[in-house]
Amino acid sequence: MTDPTHLPERRPRTAGRLSRRAVVAALGAAGFVALPAWPDTAWAADAEGPDAPGGPVRDMHPATEPSGTHVRDVGGTNVVFQYGTVLPAFDGWRTHEPTREYLSLDRRWRFRFDPGNRGLGEGWESPHFDDGAWGLIDVPAAWDLLDTPGFASQTAAFGKGTAFADGYAWYRTAVDIPASWRGRHVRMAFLAAGYSAEVWLDGRYLGKHEGANSPFALPVSGALRPGTRQTIAVRVFRRASYTDYTAATPQPVDDHEIPYKPVDYWPYAGLTRSAWIEAVPQVTIAKLLVVGASGKLEARAVVENHGASDFDGYLTLDPGRASGGRSAVAAARIPAGSVGVVTVSVPIPGAHRWSPGSPHLFTARAALTARRPGGPRVDTLSARYGVRDVSVGGAELRLNGRPVFLKGLNWHEETAVHGRAMTPVAYDKELGHIRELGVNFIRNCVYNRHPYVYDWADEHGVMVMDDMDTMWLNTAQEKLQTERYGLARALALTMAWNQHNHPSVILWGLQNESEIDTGGAPVYRAWLADLKAAVKAVDLTARPVTWASSTSNDPAFDIADVIGFNEYFGYFYGKDADLGPTLDTVHAKYPGKPILITENGTWSVAGTHGPSTTQGTEEWQAASFEAHWAQVAERSEFVAGFTYWVLKDYKQRAGYNQNYNGISVMGMLTFAEERPKLAYEAFRRAAGPRSV
């Protein structure tokens, strides 16, 4: 296994406009690596971090994060591996390839809390265990909303209901495995499981995932019995935020988890997004990386051969209708038990550029055939893409070579009815406010979103800063993650790999308000450099990196491509008018870097009115926004944008809003009703149409 602390450098992309014949002759699977060996036994034998006697249940941890996430150079392309296979595309939630078979796991499952951590000892993972007395729960859903009356109310009692059930809970369901799946490579995919999940098939352990908001896929072929009914068992864990929720004390922490302590958003628990089983050919296109820029489409098809025989065939790439490009072919030679990358580059002279004003999208399709071009079809995989370029020049953030000003909002992926297990209708309603306000930019504070969100942003021309759960780490966790455990790096790699093809994603966010050590910040800088190296290793489009620093005097800003910091002048400290001079100071120190306000906001209790100088009134919240916006707009030649905190009131477990049932009132909309406050209209007026 490649040492994950040393990421290979990204090779230059193939340049030039190639004819179809040249593509066939010059490109193909230039190299391959063997599929990594993966342990066939549970990780728990080497685990650390047992339950604290008499305290809340704590999870166990192996020596390194449990998915084995790492990067390997495969013929000049850096490929992300998890669980001994390539981290695959997760398009099966919406797109079903004709060469593959799918079995949805979105259904009602058997469910039981396990507060005493008895399940493993009593065999709850076994197919022979009788779960007839268990309750029921939908997948996807958050168990927080299973039985928590008044969850969305600002006046309900805080600390009551399943929203405060922590530790372990179990899910079980039986599935009929088609007989046609014999001889196929089969994986079980989950778009999210919060916070961690272990999976068994008919009592056979498949693996564990850690990280509440990143998708994962577990190979199941060794445990599969096609033509039979089999039992899936999933044990999900959530660490308690507090021992006593009514007093918000004490805080159980875990140095291995991210976040390691209570943070400023609700940690929804359970199987909160869709899940399915996917059967693919033994020789399969696991991932299709596409780059559309400068009138050319470059595609890199990551091909796995899980079979016992070498594969000798071809890969055909169709760049999509309206792109102006023709299909091209490349040889694909993948030895048994190996992974290769097939690269195809084609001109797309008719492809219009993607931009917020004109979000043109195309669909590339790769088809793997045996023996000859146009021969028997083995596998297919498609990927949507846009033609666009993001760069930093001087103090400007540029899209397609032109300066861009980001009119941004932070937002949390949740509703009062669904928590984080949102439906497409709920997403459309929530994201409809983005369009209503004229916003061209959203920050995914501070975790990866459901794939629906990235697709929506692609289609509607909304630019995205993607984030991960690296929030409020202290230097002990930063050091642990960088030098040993590697979960922060795994989250960075999977973020860049999973969202690679989305033209809407223009920035990678590395962390939010984490601790900075003294003496030149060696721990903090090493951690950020490691995360930056991770996303840069797998992003063929070299998107800029930034983060949401807690200070405008961050000693690692030289590492960032775009300087990002959160500021709360006039609220937590200083005066509203301090923002302008602060921006001038940062620009003077880093004149060649654009600046982005990653957060700014205040709060108001909906319906509370009064002078604009009185904290908590809607007038004060609106006036504060207007003051900060004006200072940013005056400096748009070096300030790349402003991102307001936050679109909507949101749920917290952190210990400072219990009087409102854990609801932060910093939003421009109320939590349950989504009723606009005065700040909503102030934002719409100030951030009106602006050219990009």
Side-chain angles (χ1 to χ4, degrees), residues 35 38 82-86 88-90 99-105 175-190 199 201 204-207 216-228 230 232 275-286 304-307 379:
L35 284 164
W38 186 248
Q82 275 188 354
Y83 306 107
T85 61
V86 174
F90 289 94
T99 54
R100 306 178 180 192
E101 296 178 77
Y102 302 83
L103 179 60
S104 175
L105 299 177
V175 293
D176 293 317
I177 305 298
S180 60
W181 286 15
R182 292 187 177 92
R184 310 276 278 177
H185 175 66
V186 182
R187 55 191 175 229
M188 194 180 306
F190 297 85
V199 185
L201 182 61
R204 180 164 177 174
Y205 185 83
L206 300 181
F216 61 102
L218 295 163
V220 302
S221 298
L224 203 70
R225 292 186 290 110
T228 68
Q230 295 192 260
I232 301 169
W276 67 94
I277 308 177
E278 184 172 351
V280 303
Q282 290 279 4
V283 182
T284 181
I285 306 169
E304 290 180 317
N305 184 350
H306 293 276
D379 195 21

Side-chain angles (χ1 to χ4, degrees), residues 446-620:
V446 285
Y447 44 87
N448 298 164
R449 297 310 198 256
H450 190 291
Y452 188 92
V453 174
Y454 304 101
D455 288 345
W456 182 94
D458 289 343
E459 294 163 3
H460 291 88
V462 175
M463 296 172 284
V464 175
M465 172 180 165
D466 210 15
D467 262 15
M468 51 190 180
D469 296 79
T470 44
M471 178 174 179
W472 292 358
L473 272 69
N474 66 23
T475 51
Q477 282 82 45
E478 293 164 9
K479 186 177 179 65
L480 173 69
Q481 294 299 333
T482 305
E483 296 181 358
R484 184 164 67 86
Y485 199 59
L487 179 58
R489 181 186 310 113
L491 295 176
L493 285 170
T494 55
M495 173 178 69
W497 183 257
N498 291 332
Q499 276 71 263
H500 180 279
N501 296 337
H502 291 283
S504 58
V505 178
I506 64 164
L507 288 169
W508 301 123
L510 301 185
Q511 66 92 9
N512 183 85
E513 295 182 356
S514 292
E515 188 176 65
I516 301 172
D517 49 319
T518 58
V523 173
Y524 179 70
R525 288 178 59 85
W527 177 56
L528 287 171
D530 186 54
L531 298 181
K532 179 178 179 178
V535 296
K536 293 289 189 179
V538 298
D539 183 4
L540 299 173
T541 70
R543 293 171 177 89
V545 303
T546 188
W547 57 85
S549 180
S550 60
T551 174
S552 60
N553 194 31
D554 191 311
F557 275 156
D558 59 299
I559 296 173
D561 300 315
V562 174
I563 291 174
F565 62 89
N566 300 344
E567 58 89 6
Y568 289 94
F569 289 113
Y571 175 20
F572 290 128
Y573 45 76
K575 307 182 300 295
D576 289 334
D578 291 338
L579 174 58
T582 299
L583 290 169
D584 294 337
T585 299
V586 175
H587 176 57
K589 189 173 182 179
Y590 301 98
K593 293 181 183 287
I595 302 170
L596 173 64
I597 301 299
T598 41
E599 285 182 26
N600 165 258
T602 53
W603 61 279
S604 71
V605 177
T608 301
H609 296 283
S612 62
T613 54
T614 300
Q615 287 199 4
T617 65
E618 291 193 29
E619 287 79 3
W620 175 66

Side-chain angles (χ1 to χ4, degrees), residues 150-159 651 657-663:
F151 180 79
S153 167
Q154 289 189 17
T155 59
F158 187 76
K651 287 285 286 191
N657 280 300
Q658 276 84 348
N659 289 340
Y660 298 125
N661 189 24
I663 296 176

Side-chain angles (χ1 to χ4, degrees), residues 34 53 99 116 147 152 255 364 389 535 547 648 692:
T99 54
D147 184 15
D255 285 347
D389 177 72
V535 296
W547 57 85
K648 191 178 75 173
V692 175

